[in-house]
Amino acid sequence: MLNQGERPKNLYEGFREKLTAMAGECSRVRRAEDIAAFLIPFFRENKIRTVGLAESPLTRAGGLRERLQGAGIKVTTDNIRQAAPGVEAGITQLKWGIAELGTLVQIGTNVDQRLLSMLPPLHVALAQTSELVPTVAEALRLIHSLPEIPGFVGFITGPSRTADIERVLTIGVHGPGRFLALLVDEDVREGE
Amino acid sequence: MADQEFKGKIEQALDNSTLRGALGRFGEFYEKAREQVYEGYDFQALRDQVAEVKSYAASHLDEMLDQFERAATARGAKVFRAETGEDANRYISELALKHKVKSIVKSKSMASEEIHLNDALAAKGMDVQETDLGEWILQLCHQTPSHMVMPALHMTKEQVADVFTDHLGRINDPDIASLVKTARSELRSKFLEADMGISGANMAIAETGTLMVVTNEGNARLTATLPRIHVFLVGVEKMVPKFEDAGCILQTLPRNATAQAITSYVTMVTGPTPVYMPDGSVRDKELHIVLMDNGRRKMYADDKFKKTFQCIRCASCLNVCPAYQLVGGHVYGHIYTGGIGTILTAFLNEEKFAENPQNLCLQCGKCAEICPGRLDIPEMILELRTRFAQKKGLPFTQKFALDIVANRRLFHSLLRVASLAQKPLTKGQPVIRHLPMFLSGLTEKRSLPAIAPVPFRDIFKSIPQNIKDVKGTAAFYAGCLVDFVYPKIGEGVIAALNDKGYKVVFPEGQSCCGAPAVYMGDKPNAKKSAMLNIEALKAEGVDYVVSACPTCTHALKDSYPALLSGDPAWEERAAVLSRKALDFSKLLADLGGLPEGGDGLPLKVTYHDSCHLKRKMGVYREPRAHLSRTAGIELVEMYESDHCCGFAGSYSIKFPEISAPILEKKIKNIEATGADVVAVDCPGCLMQISGGLDQARSPIKVKHTAEILLEKRHRQKNQKLS
């Protein structure tokens, strides 16, 4: 029923193109264990030594906490309210991706997950490539098809931005100044 | 009529080069960027959905509010219905007192500014912090927003740096990135300390009790996540029936507001979520939702203003408004600015505060063309204008002039006298710089054409109409400018229609179409003109009524039926005229257009779209086609060809200071094409643009399409004949 743009042939390519146009960063790995393999050099390159992590199916399946710690990165998983404002990056798993906009959909009922997506200067958002949907309409239908609408749902498309001074686009006002979407091809379900 | 104080504010705004620069740059950027961001999307279909979704919610308001309240309450929110702004202020203040709130963070809420919520809370000793960067800057320097989406659009980085320096007691450099960084760290500590968050919402979903907030900065997310109490202040017009209905608004709001496909964030809150309490425990927060009326139902109950409930507050009507682009938001006087702001101010603040700003509307219709909610803002502003005129009457000079115009014999004999009286002033030139009597205001900052020595009505009888095979008859409605200033346009109309096999008649009793009265809000004189012309034109007896002035055509087609609706003696006749009335270029196209032809002599022509022809009648391809099919003409497009020329009838008399810069821009765009001639379909635009070109000492000529066709095609015929 909703009007929508042309459906991108390849959901991932469409998603990446739209997200990078909104100053977001986007990468893709095959397996959950590749997340750490991608992030460790990425953090090293960006001199990031402390991260806050909201555990999720993908992080557990990929052994992310242990692997990051093994690489010498300080990983905080509890006491997030105290820790989140101080860490250099927050890692969370988000639910769906909307290809037509380059948007990730956050089910943010968990307050720690939410704080880690908002307070640190870098937000690393993990999601499953298989959870990409073509349109906003589709995403709204999926959210509505849950047993109840989650208390907090966020659409995130790139870093926090403002143009309130002289209409000049400036990145990173209240939220993260950098946003990295890392899509994982392997399907990981809780309990597996 | 605008008062002196208002005129003073306009002058100040026009003198503010910072403001002019910022507004100008944004205006230039916006229109193109918006178009690009809609690529691949069907805007018309999307706005149909928005209008449908919003109008459904509005027409079922009580049902929507009840449903919303039930759904939100079921999820654990507390819903309060506020009849007035005071009710909302009281509820929120008492809530804050009850919970011993000391510090409050706010994400953007125009509704809270409408009711001065910050003052109410500050009076109870609470620290209230705006967190939207623009709003925070304005809070620090005690200003009001100059734009609904970009509140500090009028300020430079230097001014912002000074504001920060004063507030923080340390020097801030005018570097935008570091100013934003400062704001981040200052406000971050406020977020972490705050006991209460207050937000506005873009949508309230009745079906699910969900509130949706569309933002870029991320402050709404923090407001919804950190404080232990969260209050949403929501106007009742924000209702949307179903969850999936949000889709069309999410697709249009960011695109129309800031030309973004989507904002960085969309936040959807349904019931309370867990939050960290000061003692470190995690519990569900308190979520309060204040559904506020404060004049909104009254606005909906007024038939002419119902559609304001379809507004999604994107402020795109400001972004494309030629007057707003020059003067900015502060001259509107209240927090709601621009076209929609004028209407909201009238209902949500006080009617009298809209009296001055409503004058700023040129009636160009550009905002209606792009409005995602399908609001006809110019029509609503005209309605306000008419009501003010009915209530308070028009100033004597205006009333006097309109009374004369409505009296055909008097008006026409005055025009004939003027034609003679101006002689000493024309000095042999085709333009005059002074006009006698009540028209004198017209000559400021531009040249005006001389009144023709012989009006068209006298020339008409001597025009031979040789038609081999007569297909029908068209009555020509000349309008004042063709009749008394530009009779040659009339000759062009007749020649073209004769070519198509139509005989043209000129009903003698016709007079001014009444548009000046309509646009000044003088309904009685407008009605008088409507009846006089319906009687004179006798549309029942001809196949078409043709006019070469889109403003006149619009009057015949749309204004007369509206003015005379419900009047049994006139309604049917007005409907007949409305059906048969067509503008010249449109009729010519409907009759199959002109065959390829023309003198073949090279002529570079650029086309200026008149507001009424393009936006009231949807005609813009037709005149271009007529010109392109004329041998010798090379048609080149000018930049922003459909932007108003600034004439807008009496507007150029009321606000020469605004009309002049609009015209200047038009002249620049015309000159940049390198054209020999500007083609127009409206004699009003013709008068305005030729005045501007004359003042700029440009060799470019302005001609009506009918006039160009006559010259290019009939010269050839004459040559053939000889």
Side-chain angles (χ1 to χ4, degrees):
Chain A
M1 163 210 140
L2 280 174
N3 175 292
Q4 47 214 222
E6 281 169 45
R7 295 196 162 217
K9 283 184 200 90
N10 178 324
L11 287 181
Y12 174 76
E13 279 311 312
F15 173 85
R16 195 180 58 86
E17 195 185 302
K18 296 293 178 181
L19 176 56
T20 47
M22 288 284 286
E25 295 159 63
C26 187
S27 275
R28 178 177 184 179
V29 294
R30 281 188 52 221
R31 300 164 56 84
E33 62 189 52
D34 300 332
I35 299 171
F38 179 89
L39 286 179
I40 291 165
F42 176 83
F43 286 153
R44 192 170 298 141
E45 210 174 288
N46 290 288
K47 299 189 172 56
I48 285 164
R49 294 180 195 85
T50 58
V51 304
L53 173 70
E55 290 279 19
S56 68
L58 274 176
T59 66
R60 278 188 286 267
L64 187 59
R65 178 160 56 106
E66 298 78 7
R67 284 167 197 252
L68 291 178
Q69 281 168 340
I73 292 163
K74 186 167 180 281
V75 182
T76 308
T77 53
D78 49 16
N79 238 340
I80 294 300
R81 175 68 164 82
Q82 303 307 317
V87 296
E88 292 161 306
I91 305 175
T92 71
Q93 180 175 348
L94 305 188
K95 182 64 183 160
W96 293 292
I98 307 173
E100 78 170 315
L101 298 176
T103 299
L104 284 180
V105 180
Q106 173 182 35
I107 305 295
T109 319
N110 179 307
V111 64
D112 287 347
Q113 183 245 42
R114 234 185 308 153
L115 289 169
L116 288 171
S117 73
M118 295 176 192
L119 294 172
L122 163 67
H123 177 202
V124 177
L126 309 173
Q128 306 251 212
T129 316
S130 60
E131 300 280 19
L132 287 175
V133 300
T135 62
V136 173
E138 183 79 22
L140 290 173
R141 265 197 294 277
L142 286 168
I143 296 165
H144 202 182
S145 70
L146 297 172
E148 65 173 21
I149 310 263
F152 184 102
V153 178
F155 280 13
I156 304 178
T157 316
S160 148
R161 57 172 61 206
T162 184
D164 271 358
I165 304 176
E166 291 194 356
R167 289 279 315 142
V168 174
L169 177 66
T170 314
I171 295 295
V173 52
H174 292 299
R178 282 184 80 178
F179 177 76
L180 166 67
L182 187 56
L183 297 188
V184 183
D185 293 348
E186 180 192 353
D187 265 329
V188 173
R189 310 225 178 269
E190 196 72 306
E192 280 171 35
Chain B
M1 190 65 176
D3 63 29
Q4 279 315 305
E5 193 193 332
F6 186 64
K7 281 279 203 178
K9 284 208 282 188
I10 290 173
E11 201 175 311
Q12 259 181 18
L14 289 171
D15 284 346
N16 183 341
S17 57
T18 304
L19 179 70
R20 290 279 296 271
L23 290 167
R25 278 192 304 278
F26 179 65
E28 296 257 312
F29 152 84
Y30 172 80
E31 210 178 324
K32 260 183 274 155
R34 179 188 164 277
E35 232 162 75
Q36 279 168 8
V37 83
Y38 270 111
E39 254 166 47
Y41 289 80
D42 182 348
F43 173 63
Q44 300 305 332
L46 278 169
R47 73 201 293 219
D48 281 342
Q49 284 169 22
V50 173
E52 195 190 318
V53 158
K54 296 285 288 178
S55 63
Y56 180 88
S59 61
H60 297 74
L61 188 58
D62 285 314
E63 193 185 318
M64 292 292 118
L65 292 170
D66 289 347
Q67 201 187 351
F68 179 88
E69 182 170 346
R70 272 197 306 276
T73 311
R75 291 294 296 269
K78 296 190 175 73
V79 176
F80 176 73
R81 310 266 189 113
E83 179 88 35
T84 64
E86 292 88 71
D87 292 345
N89 283 339
R90 194 178 325 111
Y91 180 82
I92 299 170
S93 309
E94 282 170 9
L95 180 73
L97 282 174
K98 189 178 129 198
H99 288 276
K100 301 191 169 46
V101 166
K102 288 190 195 70
S103 69
I104 299 172
V105 282
K106 278 181 72 199
S107 64
K108 196 170 153 64
S109 159
M110 291 299 283
S112 76
E113 298 197 46
E114 174 190 323
I115 63 173
H116 304 288
L117 175 63
N118 291 5
D119 296 341
L121 292 166
K124 304 280 179 203
M126 274 158 251
D127 175 38
V128 188
Q129 199 69 53
E130 293 288 351
T131 62
D132 174 90
L133 177 59
E135 294 286 343
W136 186 53
I137 295 167
L138 297 184
Q139 186 185 25
L140 293 179
C141 59
H142 311 288
Q143 290 193 30
T144 53
S146 63
H147 187 283
M148 289 194 277
V149 174
M150 294 162 289
L153 184 64
H154 60 287
M155 293 178 77
T156 59
K157 55 184 188 295
E158 286 77 16
Q159 290 167 332
V160 174
D162 288 346
V163 170
F164 283 12
T165 300
D166 285 350
H167 172 68
L168 300 168
R170 58 169 195 270
I171 296 291
N172 275 261
D173 291 327
D175 168 62
I176 295 176
S178 53
L179 290 169
V180 170
K181 214 177 248 174
T182 302
R184 177 185 172 98
S185 71
E186 286 297 315
L187 291 170
R188 179 55 69 85
S189 59
K190 296 285 183 185
F191 273 118
L192 293 170
E193 288 160 14
D195 313 293
M196 179 187 262
I198 299 176
S199 309
N202 299 92
M203 283 177 261
I205 316 291
E207 182 186 20
T208 58
T210 305
L211 295 156
M212 295 196 189
V213 191
V214 176
T215 68
N216 273 316
E217 296 185 359
N219 55 330
R221 280 163 65 80
L222 289 168
T223 306
T225 298
L226 287 163
R228 62 190 157 93
I229 307 162
H230 190 188
V231 182
F232 273 96
L233 176 61
V234 186
V236 292
E237 82 285 8
K238 293 288 192 287
M239 285 292 150
V240 167
K242 306 244 178 250
F243 190 77
E244 277 87 341
D245 291 341
C248 57
I249 296 175
L250 290 177
Q251 296 283 30
T252 48
L253 176 55
R255 287 190 167 87
N256 256 61
T258 49
Q260 286 176 278
I262 189 75
T263 45
S264 295
Y265 305 111
V266 178
T267 302
M268 308 179 183
V269 173
T270 313
T273 42
V275 68
Y276 277 96
M277 293 294 170
D279 64 4
S281 65
V282 174
R283 266 185 286 153
D284 273 359
K285 72 167 86 171
E286 290 240 357
L287 177 67
H288 294 257
I289 303 165
V290 179
L291 301 175
M292 183 175 78
D293 183 339
N294 201 38
R296 286 163 174 77
R297 275 175 197 268
K298 197 175 131 212
M299 189 159 70
Y300 187 75
D302 193 320
D303 230 23
K304 301 275 186 189
F305 295 93
K306 266 191 174 23
K307 284 192 176 170
T308 49
F309 270 55
Q310 290 164 217
C311 171
I312 57 172
R313 302 288 192 276
C314 67
S316 54
C317 51
L318 281 62
N319 299 347
V320 298
C321 173
Y324 178 90
Q325 278 177 8
L326 286 168
V327 300
H330 283 148
V331 302
Y332 291 84
H334 281 264
I335 62 140
Y336 294 115
T337 55
I340 185 68
T342 304
I343 298 157
L344 294 176
T345 297
F347 284 90
L348 308 183
N349 290 95
E350 262 184 84
E351 196 182 72
K352 64 175 186 201
F353 296 133
E355 193 177 347
N356 277 317
Q358 61 79 16
N359 283 296
L360 286 170
C361 175
L362 291 122
Q363 295 287 312
C364 78
K366 193 79 189 159
C367 54
E369 192 178 36
I370 56 135
C371 174
R374 284 203 182 279
L375 279 76
D376 193 339
I377 291 166
E379 280 300 320
M380 289 191 239
I381 290 187
L382 195 51
E383 180 62 26
L384 281 179
R385 190 174 295 169
T386 306
R387 290 185 191 182
F388 283 124
Q390 274 165 357
K391 223 179 271 179
K392 306 184 71 173
L394 287 168
F396 174 75
T397 47
Q398 274 185 38
K399 183 74 186 139
F400 177 66
L402 290 171
D403 285 346
I404 290 173
V405 172
N407 180 332
R408 184 183 74 84
R409 279 177 204 288
L410 181 57
F411 178 45
H412 287 176
S413 50
L414 277 173
L415 283 170
R416 286 175 193 270
V417 171
S419 158
L420 298 172
Q422 77 196 348
K423 274 200 177 144
L425 304 168
T426 53
K427 296 175 191 128
Q429 302 265 326
V431 293
I432 54 168
R433 283 176 181 79
H434 303 282
L435 267 179
M437 300 179 308
F438 60 90
L439 294 173
S440 61
L442 275 165
T443 48
E444 210 172 310
K445 291 184 189 172
R446 71 184 158 167
S447 312
L448 276 180
I451 289 172
V454 187
F456 181 77
R457 54 183 64 234
D458 295 353
I459 298 171
F460 176 78
K461 298 157 199 145
S462 61
I463 300 173
Q465 298 193 50
N466 302 318
I467 312 159
K468 270 188 246 145
D469 177 16
V470 178
K471 292 192 182 118
T473 310
F476 182 49
Y477 177 77
C480 308
L481 282 175
V482 174
D483 202 350
F484 290 93
V485 184
Y486 300 116
K488 204 172 158 205
I489 297 174
E491 294 178 46
V493 170
I494 290 175
L497 292 179
N498 285 174
D499 282 354
K500 298 305 300 178
Y502 279 77
K503 185 177 169 347
V504 179
V505 293
F506 185 90
E508 278 280 338
Q510 62 179 282
S511 187
C512 171
C513 68
V518 169
Y519 296 116
M520 283 194 234
D522 181 357
K523 221 169 178 173
N525 273 326
K527 260 188 175 170
K528 233 190 240 173
S529 297
M531 294 175 188
L532 193 147
N533 285 312
I534 289 173
E535 181 55 44
L537 290 169
K538 297 194 172 53
E540 296 82 357
V542 292
D543 299 295
Y544 297 103
V545 174
V546 63
S547 148
C549 170
T551 302
C552 299
T553 314
H554 174 52
L556 306 183
K557 272 192 103 55
D558 306 312
S559 307
Y560 291 2
L563 284 164
L564 300 170
S565 109
D567 185 335
W570 292 97
E571 211 169 30
E572 184 48 36
R573 300 193 72 188
V576 173
L577 175 57
S578 173
R579 272 199 303 280
K580 294 192 177 175
L582 286 172
D583 209 76
F584 167 70
S585 277
K586 171 75 172 136
L587 175 59
L588 193 54
D590 284 2
L591 296 176
L594 289 170
E596 297 280 351
D599 62 10
L601 298 172
L603 187 71
K604 204 167 168 187
V605 176
T606 190
Y607 187 79
H608 161 76
D609 291 282
S610 108
C611 295
H612 282 145
L613 189 64
K614 182 165 188 210
R615 285 182 282 272
K616 289 289 180 189
M617 281 162 264
V619 176
Y620 58 97
R621 292 188 199 94
E622 293 84 345
R624 287 178 169 85
H626 302 322
L627 292 166
S628 298
R629 294 183 69 154
T630 301
I633 289 181
E634 179 203 351
L635 193 63
V636 287
E637 287 296 326
M638 73 171 88
Y639 183 56
E640 298 177 340
S641 67
D642 72 346
H643 281 210
C644 180
C645 65
F647 177 59
S650 55
Y651 194 92
S652 49
I653 310 174
K654 277 197 293 189
F655 293 115
E657 67 274 43
I658 297 175
S659 173
I662 294 174
L663 175 60
E664 249 166 61
K665 206 169 142 200
K666 179 58 72 180
I667 298 297
K668 270 188 202 131
N669 290 336
I670 291 169
E671 284 179 327
T673 62
D676 307 303
V677 171
V678 196
V680 297
D681 269 51
C682 168
C685 301
L686 197 158
M687 179 159 89
Q688 170 87 342
I689 293 172
S690 67
L693 287 168
D694 176 67
Q695 290 271 305
R697 297 181 191 285
S698 165
I700 304 172
K701 294 191 169 57
V702 202
K703 288 176 183 176
H704 194 285
T705 301
E707 211 180 333
I708 298 175
L709 295 178
L710 178 73
E711 286 176 7
K712 298 291 282 179
R713 287 169 175 268
H714 287 261
R715 186 187 297 162
Q716 186 195 32
K717 222 180 251 173
N718 297 342
Q719 277 165 354
K720 267 189 202 157
L721 284 173
S722 60

